[in-house]
């Protein structure tokens, strides 16, 4: 390898008239501006496709002759100027946040994620988690939220998938040229790259920072491929989810600790940090270190105040999806850090990596670290919130299940990023400009009813036709690349039918997603797909993790089945699933199939992307569909059952899929009148768009994060910071006092004022209790009556009432409380009493993990 002694950058030479293109291509606002995308396609449609939809690369490769040609094309220049004006209006117009809220500092919220799916040319994502992160930033930009993103800059990104002749997945890694991507290196005043250092065992590791502008929101990506590092350390950020356990902990140190240091070096000091999954949880340790160093707080004080400034979102109910490191590995990388920087003992440090108290942990769980370090914890759907509580129930001893402090915010999608140009034009025409600005406004979507059925159906049919054409072209390319025969290539031109009912299935090929469930009974499937009067076809795509042999076997099985004589024109597998393939599929499929093993799908977002495009969902009642389903917006598989016998479950649910397709979906799709329109199907399309469109989008989701967590977190943190952290220190001292005295609390007596065993609805059931509080006072605690129906497991029939402190004379440290249960329902009820810590700053009363039951 040649060692170059100098470096220089070459940028496109643009005619003066075309200079606005530099600003247009460097802001990813173009990824959801159809007018901008049409502009790039107009420059050179072939180069647009060949560059993998990368306008920066296009500008570098397009011929000077072509640039000179379009510079004197008044129509093109006018189009470019229109897009440039759109960008500037977007950046300057008053946003939802500016109209409704005021936090003076900029970029007060930092959003950390290991991957970001922004556009197909930026290969820094693997799947749904990354696309969600990208959509989060896009909606934060649209809403004007003062937010900044932090991630890693992968030289190889996630693998490119290709299949052998027998259908076995192979991985290919492509090197990304960052200088030909819509990103820029962050530099210092002297134009040299900004570089940050980290302490690794026996050495320093350095990284540089790349910036991507996403509308109003900056995203900073950290890159260890710098000359100062040895060859191994240069590879830390080489690939997404690559390498071994040690590579993973190195990446997470760079992301978490390095991310905080990078933001401070850039001049952005976030007040609130959002950990999207546990990959970035080390950031909490670095925030504690900075509080200790810059504000002279003790470790306990810094930890106590820091939790109010952290939000943690968990995305997986599957334990294999959580990073767990052996203590020996953690000691190797953090021994010096926790002893010298944090000044704590090993027992204190390792307790941060587990939610199981009073038991020495043998490993360090990143999800547990994030939970211990965050005041706000949430799942990504209503069902996933419950599943997360169940998963981590052992960390919340004595706390009733329904009160475990894990909330939920259901995922969404950035509607305009996943909407076809055809459908966007139609929606804009009938829903108006407000649809572009406020896709989460239900009143906007009600206008769907005014849209003529003919227009909606013809628009959707055009997208299906384009999907079929794309699939044929893609399949032909796949066959040529793996050396297929001329007859196979010719056959590729005849696959699929642009008029047939088209079912899509595209996702990560994890085994719990059951990609082959629809192939359980091949004869039955053939009879459905091959009906000459009512044809049905399947388009499938997805990648298995490189180390997931079982996932790869599922792909191989589908490829083998797709070669069957009866299925070869009806079933197509598209290789190398990415955002481009996803776009064609969600825009063109009639039905989106989703059949995970309930309740292992935390949320799922692919099915949300078809809503605004007019597609309908057929899904297991898991993740988001569990709360979204109603009979008039799509179809369900089963009734939310969970099985012990998994083989039996697969058999039952595959039969349900066949039955639903054969008896419900096919008749509805092909029931046409004289006008050839499937009126009932179109009615369901409209219902799905109208009812689900305003809810399952990231505008609603990000607003919910802001109103539930970000703003509350900001207010608590700024409150605790005042007067040199005076309130924060007081809070920490109060927590220590509570911990020291909690064992002394007890109920001395409990009396029911009325001895009657039967009460009528509308009556009050009064209870008086005397409690001993040790060195605590009634200001420190809340005494509650907790009650519920006997022998009824429903959360709805449980509740609590705060008891009032009665200033009666009592013995020293004993206090009298009185409360009443409001008898609203009939039945037999039971009650007990409990004591909880009380402080105005606490997010919830279970924050300290303390509870005393009678």
């Amino acid at each position: 390898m040649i060692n170059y002694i100098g470096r220089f950058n070459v940028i496109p030479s643009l005619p003066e008239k075309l200079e606005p293109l530099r600003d247009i291509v460097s802001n990813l606002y173009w990824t959801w501006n159809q007018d901008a995308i049409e502009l790039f396609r107009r420059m050179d449609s072939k180069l647009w496709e060949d560059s993998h939809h990368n306008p920066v690369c296009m500008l570098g490769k397009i011929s000077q002759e072509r640039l000179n040609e379009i510079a004197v094309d008044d129509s093109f220049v006018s189009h470019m100027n229109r897009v440039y004006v759109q960008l500037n209006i977007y950046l300057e117009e008053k946003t939802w946040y500016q109209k409704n809220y005021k936090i003076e500092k900029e970029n007060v919220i930092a959003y950390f994620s290991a991957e970001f799916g922004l556009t197909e040319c930026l290969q820094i994502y693997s799947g749904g988690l990354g696309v969600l992160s990208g959509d989060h930033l896009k909606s934060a930009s649209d809403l004007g939220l003062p937010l900044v993103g932090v991630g890693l800059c992968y030289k190889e990104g996630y693998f490119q998938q290709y299949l052998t002749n027998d259908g076995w997945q192979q991985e290919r890694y492509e090197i990304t040229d960052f200088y030909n991507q819509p990103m820029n290196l962050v530099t210092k005043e002297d134009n040299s790259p900004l570089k940050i250092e980290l302490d690794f065992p026996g050495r320093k590791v350095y990284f540089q920072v790349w910036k991507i502008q996403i509308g109003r929101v900056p995203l900073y990506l950290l890159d260890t491929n710098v000359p100062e590092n040895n060859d191994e350390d240069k590879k830390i950020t080489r690939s997404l989810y690559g390498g071994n356990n040690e590579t993973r902990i190195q990446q997470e140190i760079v992301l978490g600790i390095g991310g905080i240091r990078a933001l401070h070096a850039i001049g952005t000091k976030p007040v609130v940090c959002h950990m999207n999954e546990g990959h970035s949880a080390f950031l909490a340790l670095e925030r504690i270190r900075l509080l200790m160093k810059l504000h002279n707080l003790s470790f306990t004080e810094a930890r106590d105040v820091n939790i109010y400034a952290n939000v943690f979102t968990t995305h997986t109910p599957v334990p294999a999806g959580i990073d767990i490191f052996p203590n020996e590995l953690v000691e190797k990388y953090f021994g010096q850090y926790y002893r010298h920087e944090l000044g704590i003992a090993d027992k204190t440090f390792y307790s941060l990596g587990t939610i199981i108290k009073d038991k020495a942990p043998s490993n360090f769980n990143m999800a547990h670290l994030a939970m211990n370090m965050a005041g706000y914890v949430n799942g990504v759907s209503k069902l996933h919130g419950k599943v997360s509580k169940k998963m981590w129930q052992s960390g919340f001893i004595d706390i009733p299940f329904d009160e475990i402090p894990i909330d939920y915010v259901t995922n969404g999608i950035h509607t305009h990023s996943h909407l076809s140009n055809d459908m966007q034009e139609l929606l804009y025409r009938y829903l108006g400009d407000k649809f572009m600005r406020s896709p989460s406004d239900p009143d906007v979507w009600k206008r769907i009813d005014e849209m003529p059925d003919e227009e909606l159906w013809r628009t959707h049919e055009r997208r299906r036709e384009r999907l079929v054409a794309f699939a044929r072209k893609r399949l032909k390319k796949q066959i040529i690349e793996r050396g297929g025969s001329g007859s196979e290539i010719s056959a590729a031109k005849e696959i699929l039918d642009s008029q047939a009912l088209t079912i899509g299935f595209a996702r990560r090929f994890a085994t719990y997603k059951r990609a082959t469930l629809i192939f359980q009974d091949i004869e039955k499937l053939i009879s459905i797909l091959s009906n000459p009067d009512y044809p049905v076809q399947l388009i499938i795509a997805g990648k298995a993790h490189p180390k997931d042999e079982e996932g790869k076997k599922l792909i191989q099985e589908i490829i083998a089945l797709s070669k069957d004589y009866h299925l070869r024109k009806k079933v197509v597998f598209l290789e190398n699933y990415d955002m481009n393939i996803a776009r064609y599929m969600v825009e063109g499929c009639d039905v989106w199939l989703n059949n995970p093993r309930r309740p292992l799908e935390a949320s799922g977002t692919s099915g949300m992307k078809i809503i605004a495009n007019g597609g309908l969902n057929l899904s297991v009642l898991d993740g988001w569909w569990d709360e979204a389903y109603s009979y008039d917006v799509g179809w369900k598989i089963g009734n939310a059952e969970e099985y012990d016998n998994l083989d039996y479950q697969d058999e039952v649910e595959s039969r349900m899929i066949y039955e639903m397709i054969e008896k419900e979906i096919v008749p509805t799709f092909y029931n046409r009148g004289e006008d050839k329109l499937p009126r009932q199907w179109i009615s369901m399309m409209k219902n799905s768009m109208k009812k689900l469109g305003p809810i399952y989008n990231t505008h609603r989701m990000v607003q919910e994060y802001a109103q539930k967590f970000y703003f509350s977190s900001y207010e608590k943190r700024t409150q605790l910071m005042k007067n040199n952290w005076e309130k924060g220190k007081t809070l920490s001292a109060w927590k220590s006092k509570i911990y020291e005295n909690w064992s002394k609390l007890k109920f001395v007596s409990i009396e029911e004022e009325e001895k009657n065993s039967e009460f009528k609805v509308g009556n009050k059931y009064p209870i008086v209790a005397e409690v001993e509080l040790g060195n605590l006072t009634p200001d420190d605690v809340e005494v509650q009556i907790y009650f519920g129906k006997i022998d009824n497991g429903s959360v709805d029939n449980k509740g609590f009432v705060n008891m009032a402190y009665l200033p009666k004379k009592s013995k020293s440290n004993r206090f009298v409380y009185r409360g009443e249960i409001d008898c609203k329902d009939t039945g037999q009820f039971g009650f007990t009493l409990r004591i909880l810590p009380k402080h105005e700053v606490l997010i919830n009363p279970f924050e300290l993990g303390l509870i005393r039951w009678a």
Side-chain angles (χ1 to χ4, degrees):
M1 183 177 174
I2 298 170
N3 289 318
Y4 294 107
I5 61 170
R7 297 180 181 206
F8 59 93
N9 295 334
V10 178
I11 62 172
S13 175
L14 291 178
E16 191 176 344
K17 269 189 171 182
L18 299 183
E19 277 299 319
L21 280 173
R22 290 194 202 277
D23 288 341
I24 293 169
V25 302
S26 63
N27 189 317
L28 262 63
Y29 172 64
W30 61 258
T31 62
W32 68 98
N33 182 333
Q34 296 286 355
D35 210 11
I37 292 169
E38 285 305 311
L39 180 73
F40 302 146
R41 190 174 280 118
R42 186 173 176 177
M43 287 169 67
D44 189 323
S45 58
K46 185 175 186 304
L47 192 50
W48 173 243
E49 295 300 330
D50 292 347
S51 67
H52 211 48
H53 301 167
N54 180 348
V56 174
C57 181
M58 263 184 75
L59 285 186
K61 289 186 174 180
I62 198 166
S63 69
Q64 199 63 44
E65 290 78 12
R66 177 59 181 156
L67 287 173
N68 293 336
E69 186 181 317
I70 59 177
V72 294
D73 180 341
D74 290 343
S75 173
F76 179 87
V77 172
S78 174
H79 187 171
M80 177 195 69
N81 288 335
R82 183 174 71 240
V83 171
Y84 187 55
V85 168
Q86 289 167 357
L87 171 63
N88 285 300
I89 289 173
Y90 174 83
L91 295 175
E92 292 165 12
E93 68 185 353
K94 206 168 184 183
T95 64
W96 166 82
Y97 173 76
Q98 290 168 323
K99 290 173 186 173
N100 296 285
Y101 301 93
K102 189 179 179 185
I103 294 176
E104 290 174 4
K105 294 180 183 177
E106 292 182 1
N107 299 332
V108 294
I109 303 151
Y111 180 88
F112 285 71
S113 183
E115 50 175 305
F116 287 91
L118 298 160
T119 184
E120 51 267 32
C121 66
L122 278 165
Q123 295 286 326
I124 52 171
Y125 68 96
S126 70
L129 177 69
V131 176
L132 176 86
S133 302
D135 284 3
H136 193 111
L137 298 193
K138 290 174 181 179
S139 278
S141 169
D142 288 343
L143 296 166
L145 208 61
L147 182 142
V148 55
V150 182
L152 297 178
C153 202
Y154 304 104
K155 192 71 177 168
E156 289 179 348
Y158 203 51
F159 71 91
Q160 307 299 305
Q161 177 198 57
Y162 67 99
L163 305 179
T164 61
N165 279 323
D166 64 350
W168 189 253
Q169 173 181 292
Q170 299 289 326
E171 296 86 31
R172 179 180 68 249
Y173 291 88
E174 294 179 357
I175 300 299
T176 303
D177 178 3
F178 297 149
Y179 290 95
N180 272 317
Q181 292 286 346
M183 56 202 292
N184 293 295
L185 202 56
V186 176
T187 57
K188 296 185 287 189
E189 288 182 6
D190 62 0
N191 284 331
S192 64
L194 173 68
K195 288 180 182 170
I196 317 287
E197 67 176 44
L198 292 165
D199 290 309
F200 271 47
R203 67 198 189 277
K204 298 277 188 189
V205 168
Y206 298 85
F207 64 86
Q208 60 190 1
V209 184
W210 295 86
K211 179 183 176 184
I212 298 174
Q213 193 65 35
I214 302 145
R216 303 176 179 93
V217 168
L219 167 62
Y220 296 103
L221 301 176
L222 318 179
D223 171 21
T224 63
N225 186 24
V226 295
E228 291 84 350
N229 289 335
N230 63 42
D231 288 344
E232 283 306 303
D233 291 339
K234 286 177 182 176
K235 295 176 184 174
I236 291 173
T237 58
R238 188 174 182 86
S239 64
L240 173 58
Y241 304 141
N244 54 23
N245 226 14
E246 189 151 9
T247 309
R248 185 65 68 87
I249 198 171
Q250 290 173 343
Q251 288 187 340
E252 296 185 4
I253 289 168
V254 173
L255 176 61
I257 295 176
I260 293 293
R261 292 185 186 178
L263 290 177
H264 279 252
I266 289 163
T268 297
K269 296 178 181 177
V271 177
V272 179
C273 285
H274 185 167
M275 298 173 274
N276 192 43
E277 261 308 347
H279 307 118
S280 60
F282 290 136
L283 71 82
L285 303 178
E286 180 65 6
R287 300 193 81 192
I288 289 172
R289 185 190 74 83
L290 287 172
L291 286 171
M292 295 171 69
K293 180 181 177 182
L294 300 177
H295 301 285
N296 204 27
L297 300 181
S298 68
F299 171 79
T300 303
E301 289 171 337
R303 182 197 60 200
D304 286 345
V305 300
N306 191 52
I307 68 163
Y308 298 102
N310 292 329
V311 179
F312 168 53
T313 299
T314 173
H315 285 265
T316 178
V318 183
I322 294 169
D323 288 322
I324 298 175
F325 299 118
N327 284 351
E328 302 75 42
L329 187 61
V330 176
E331 182 66 27
K332 177 180 175 180
Y333 282 91
F334 281 94
Q336 291 285 99
Y337 188 92
Y338 74 74
R339 288 190 181 90
H340 300 292
E341 299 288 349
L342 303 181
I344 55 175
D346 56 353
K347 186 177 179 183
T348 304
F349 176 73
Y350 286 103
S351 70
L352 301 176
T354 179
I355 57 170
I356 311 300
K357 307 304 177 194
D358 306 320
K359 182 181 176 185
S362 58
N363 50 42
F364 202 88
N365 185 307
M366 292 301 286
H368 289 187
L369 173 64
M371 291 173 77
N372 285 327
M373 295 283 107
Y376 304 88
V377 179
N378 72 281
V380 289
S381 69
K382 188 174 184 179
L383 177 62
H384 182 231
K386 292 177 185 175
V387 171
S388 298
K389 288 180 181 184
K390 191 174 180 180
M391 185 175 175
W392 286 313
Q393 196 169 4
S394 57
F396 299 91
I397 302 297
D398 291 337
I399 296 175
F401 181 81
D402 55 298
E403 294 184 290
I404 290 172
I406 299 176
D407 207 333
Y408 77 92
V409 175
T410 302
N411 281 346
I413 54 110
H414 186 254
T415 305
H416 299 311
S417 290
H418 305 284
L419 190 59
S420 74
N421 191 21
D422 308 74
M423 194 61 79
Q424 183 162 294
E425 287 178 5
L426 184 66
L427 291 171
Y428 182 74
R429 198 180 324 142
Y430 286 98
L431 273 54
D433 188 54
K434 198 173 180 184
F435 164 71
M436 303 302 291
R437 296 194 314 273
S438 305
S440 58
D441 184 344
D443 289 335
V444 171
W445 290 87
K446 286 177 183 173
R447 297 180 197 162
I448 289 282
D449 288 334
E450 298 170 20
M451 188 184 293
D453 288 358
E454 294 85 351
E455 283 199 72
L456 178 58
W457 185 245
R458 300 299 175 227
T459 301
H460 176 65
E461 284 200 310
R462 276 199 302 277
R463 289 313 315 180
R464 191 191 317 112
E465 287 165 7
R466 289 181 193 176
L467 168 61
V468 168
F470 171 80
R472 288 171 177 169
K473 184 179 176 183
R474 191 87 181 197
L475 185 62
K476 179 184 172 183
K477 184 183 174 194
Q478 289 170 198
I479 293 167
I480 291 170
E481 286 179 351
R482 62 171 176 255
S485 65
S487 60
E488 283 182 290
I489 295 167
S490 297
K493 297 174 186 175
E494 299 174 5
I495 58 138
L496 304 177
D497 174 356
S498 62
Q499 300 300 312
L501 170 63
T502 304
I503 299 174
F505 180 98
R507 53 197 24 90
R508 189 163 52 88
F509 266 61
T511 49
Y512 77 86
K513 294 179 185 279
R514 299 189 295 178
T516 55
L517 190 63
I518 197 170
F519 296 96
Q520 282 277 112
D521 183 341
I522 289 298
E523 288 185 10
K524 184 65 178 173
L525 180 63
I526 289 172
S527 74
I528 292 171
L529 300 189
S530 301
N531 186 324
D533 298 320
Y534 309 118
V536 181
Q537 57 199 14
L538 292 172
I539 302 180
I540 302 168
K543 295 177 177 179
H545 188 280
K547 294 177 183 175
D548 184 1
E549 297 294 308
E550 293 305 311
K552 291 182 180 181
K553 286 177 185 174
L554 295 178
I555 294 174
Q556 190 175 39
E557 191 179 331
I558 289 172
I559 296 298
L561 291 167
S562 70
K563 292 177 180 177
D564 180 280
Y565 173 78
H566 299 286
L567 296 177
R568 59 188 175 84
K569 291 185 181 181
K570 303 284 188 178
V571 178
V572 174
F573 185 93
L574 301 179
E575 287 179 20
N576 207 23
Y577 182 49
D578 65 358
M579 290 180 78
N580 189 39
I581 290 178
R583 182 177 298 113
Y584 274 94
M585 289 186 67
V586 300
E587 290 174 3
C589 284
D590 299 296
V591 175
W592 198 256
L593 175 63
N594 183 41
N595 44 233
R597 203 179 295 286
R598 190 182 195 270
L600 299 181
E601 185 80 272
S603 173
T605 53
S606 60
M608 300 176 189
K609 292 166 191 163
I610 69 159
I611 293 168
N613 285 297
L616 299 174
N617 280 277
L618 165 62
S619 176
V620 166
L621 292 173
D622 198 8
W624 76 284
W625 194 240
D626 184 65
E627 62 196 80
Y629 168 77
S630 65
Y631 74 95
D632 57 345
V633 299
W635 298 276
K636 63 177 179 175
I637 301 166
N639 289 305
E641 302 93 344
E642 291 174 29
Y643 296 75
D644 293 325
N645 185 330
L646 301 185
D647 290 336
Y648 178 67
Q649 179 182 7
D650 291 350
E651 184 186 329
V652 169
E653 293 184 343
S654 65
R655 283 205 307 267
M656 288 178 178
I657 292 173
Y658 301 137
E659 191 170 322
M660 195 60 71
I661 294 172
E662 203 169 25
K663 294 183 179 176
E664 297 283 341
I665 296 174
V666 167
T668 308
F669 184 85
Y670 284 107
N671 182 16
R672 316 278 172 104
E674 288 183 9
D675 56 7
K676 304 290 174 63
L677 293 177
R679 295 283 182 180
Q680 188 185 345
W681 187 277
I682 296 168
S683 174
M684 289 184 75
M685 288 169 70
K686 287 185 172 182
N687 285 333
S688 173
M689 296 167 89
K690 186 171 57 180
K691 292 184 177 182
L692 307 182
I695 299 172
Y696 298 98
N697 63 74
T698 43
H699 274 53
R700 184 272 313 157
M701 182 191 85
V702 172
Q703 284 176 331
E704 208 171 321
Y705 273 112
Q707 291 163 337
K708 264 188 172 183
F709 306 142
Y710 296 162
F711 299 155
S712 172
S713 179
Y714 177 85
E715 286 166 13
K716 288 182 185 295
R717 178 62 175 250
T718 49
Q719 195 181 354
L720 295 171
M721 286 166 64
K722 287 178 183 173
N723 301 324
N724 193 28
W725 295 90
E726 181 184 347
K727 197 159 188 175
K729 292 173 183 176
T730 303
L731 173 68
S732 185
W734 175 83
K735 285 186 176 182
S736 297
K737 181 180 79 169
I738 295 292
Y739 282 121
E740 287 168 15
N741 288 277
W742 199 255
S743 61
K744 300 171 187 173
L745 272 59
K746 65 180 180 183
F747 287 92
V748 178
S749 65
I750 299 170
E751 293 181 10
E752 300 155 65
E753 280 187 351
E754 296 187 31
K755 301 301 180 182
N756 187 2
S757 64
E758 290 187 351
F759 285 75
K760 291 180 179 178
V761 170
N763 287 355
K764 307 281 187 183
Y765 185 70
I767 299 167
V768 177
E770 187 177 13
V771 297
E772 193 166 304
L773 297 182
N775 294 326
L776 303 182
T777 73
D779 290 335
D780 297 320
V781 299
E782 195 79 76
V783 181
Q784 297 177 339
I785 305 168
Y786 184 85
F787 63 94
K789 272 195 175 182
I790 302 292
D791 297 329
N792 188 312
S794 172
V795 170
D796 297 334
N797 287 301
K798 295 187 175 78
F800 64 85
V801 175
N802 290 331
M803 301 182 79
Y805 161 59
L806 303 178
K808 281 185 178 181
K809 283 191 176 181
S810 188
K811 289 183 182 179
S812 177
N813 299 329
R814 290 186 178 181
F815 301 89
V816 177
Y817 285 80
R818 184 181 185 279
E820 296 177 333
I821 299 173
D822 190 2
C823 302
K824 294 179 179 178
D825 299 304
T826 58
Q828 187 177 37
F829 286 78
F831 75 89
T832 183
L833 271 57
R834 65 185 185 185
I835 308 173
L836 295 166
K838 180 176 72 174
H839 194 284
E840 61 176 1
V841 177
L842 294 184
I843 296 167
N844 63 75
F846 309 105
E847 194 177 295
L848 277 62
L850 299 174
I851 187 167
R852 173 74 71 218
W853 290 96

